[in-house]
Amino acid sequence: MGERIAGRAFTPADHERFAARCREGLRALDLLLRRPGFGEGPASVGVEVEIGLIGRGAEPAPVNAEVAAAAGDDRLELELDRFNLEVNSPPAALAGRPFRALRAEIEDAIGVIARAGRAHRARPVTIGILPTLRAEHLGPRAMTDAPRYRALNAGLRGLREGPFRIRIEGEDELLEATWDDVTLEGAATGMHVHLRAAPADFAACFNAAQMAVAPALAVAANSPVLLERVLWEETRVALFGQAVDDRAPLWARWLPSRASFGHGWIARPLDPFAESVALHVPILPVVGGEDPLAVAAAGGVPELSELRLHHGTVWRWTRATVAVHGEPHLRVEMRALPAGPTPTDMAANAAFLTGLTRALAPEADWMARALPFELARRNFYAAARSGPDAVILWPAERAPSPRPRTAADLVAELLPPAREALVAAGVDAAEARELLGVVAARAASRRTGAAWQRRALAAAERGRDRTGALRAVTEAYAERSAAGRPVHEWDAPERP
């Protein structure tokens, strides 16, 4: 696709052809979903992890292309900003020990990056937002030199008809900024969990993931600092929704954002794809040579390149994806969890979110009636703002519903059904117990990555300015992250 984007200005005719092909792709996908046996098969889980690079003074190291070239590892991809890389872990069957396999894969990839980075004085760190990031680290020079990212920036900026405006209010501090490109979005690094679901079960699984994400995010928060301001427990969520908001001011009152929690409970697996086509203008209208309807009608599996490309530029926190190669199937992509603090924490977070989603899916029908979608959205942003102390409105079978619970208390109640669902899916019982025990300890102690960073910063600021304190905090974080012990076991240094 990069070759077809390079040096190209898209015309209105390109947009028209692309939009028409997306609509054809929807009809072709509908045919696939109606095909007996399509997408059926054993459940699997996979992850993508975005990893930051730091150099001298624990500041962002803009050398992702150099490190990736030195690594020579197919699992690594260049991210939007030059100080980030992405690790793609191959999916593992849910039955067995999938999360240990994912943890081992992440540990191995981090080791590869660390070795490749030495010649470039760069080290990997898994954290939601680098605390040392400042405005001078961003801007056009920070963007990875790739046609896709340049075209994405131009497309969003053109639709926006002006700069991106960021306003995030924390408990004690406020960040207001105006940005001319999308590199501020690249400040956020996360972990995406992909869960395969059969078409017949997909809507329930997707809706369950939308409910499960708030408690899971609350006890995984790991990005309290942005541009030297202490803001939300998971500031990534507030940042991302504004940093790629393509809506011109005149439209913002009614046009849905393409970076959002979503717009309602879904009834069928086609719904999220149809929403993307109906609600959002294409940014990268690259038309391929395939007729997706003809391929589907002939019994084949089309690439659906236009539909998948367009849908991939609509960044909902829970997203439907379709895999068309190998054994074609659907996945629920859960995008809200942050990177870090350690591979063990990430494996535990993935296990909890996966187990809770599977536990809630059989109950999703009545739960969706007892929890209006607007309140599910409210839960998500409350969890991002306040972490384990967030008040979450949780559905109840008896009126009145929903009922308020603190996130930490709710997680304690939800861990047993999540563990049972994992074991019922064939996950090794010892693995489920071990990893969900990490989440239980973190929830009980409220010692998230965000909480550790706040405590460490308060200590580091005694005798230092904010910039120096954040360097010390990031160094202390990177040292503990590399040691591998889960974050609830980290000491909070008196003065890092």
Side-chain angles (χ1 to χ4, degrees), residues 94-101 103 344 347-348 351-352 415 418-439:
L94 191 56
R97 296 181 174 179
F99 301 104
R100 290 184 187 179
R103 178 173 60 190
T344 294
F352 179 47
L415 281 164
R419 183 168 54 249
E420 291 171 8
L422 289 176
V423 173
V427 175
D428 177 75
E431 172 169 309
R433 183 171 57 253
E434 173 197 350
L435 291 177
L436 296 192
V438 171
V439 176

Side-chain angles (χ1 to χ4, degrees), residues 377-393:
R377 179 187 288 114
R378 174 232 168 257
N379 285 345
F380 175 70
Y381 289 102
R385 177 184 286 275
S386 302
D389 293 325
V391 175
I392 292 180
L393 302 174

Side-chain angles (χ1 to χ4, degrees), residues 278-305:
L279 298 179
H280 301 291
V281 175
I283 301 173
L284 303 175
V286 179
V287 179
E290 177 190 66
D291 182 338
L293 267 176
V295 173
V301 177
E303 290 283 333
L304 302 173
S305 58

Side-chain angles (χ1 to χ4, degrees), residues 1 38 82 85 98 151 170 173 265 303 313 322 331 337 342 362 369 402 412 428-429 435 452 456:
M1 186 188 70
F38 175 84
R82 295 177 60 212
L85 284 165
E173 299 188 44
W265 305 119
E303 290 283 333
T313 64
V322 56
R331 294 194 298 257
L337 295 175
T342 67
R369 291 193 298 270
D428 177 75
L435 291 177
W452 185 91

Side-chain angles (χ1 to χ4, degrees), residues 156-165 245-255:
L156 287 170
R157 191 68 170 74
L159 291 173
R160 176 79 184 176
E161 297 180 0
F164 300 95
R165 300 191 182 278
D245 189 349
D246 64 323
R247 298 173 296 175
L250 182 63
W251 302 349
R253 294 181 181 178
W254 58 269
L255 185 69

Side-chain angles (χ1 to χ4, degrees), residues 67 70-73 75-76 106-117 124:
V67 172
D73 193 314
R75 294 172 298 180
L76 303 184
I106 295 168
E107 289 172 341
D108 181 69
I110 290 173
V112 167
I113 294 169
R115 290 188 292 273

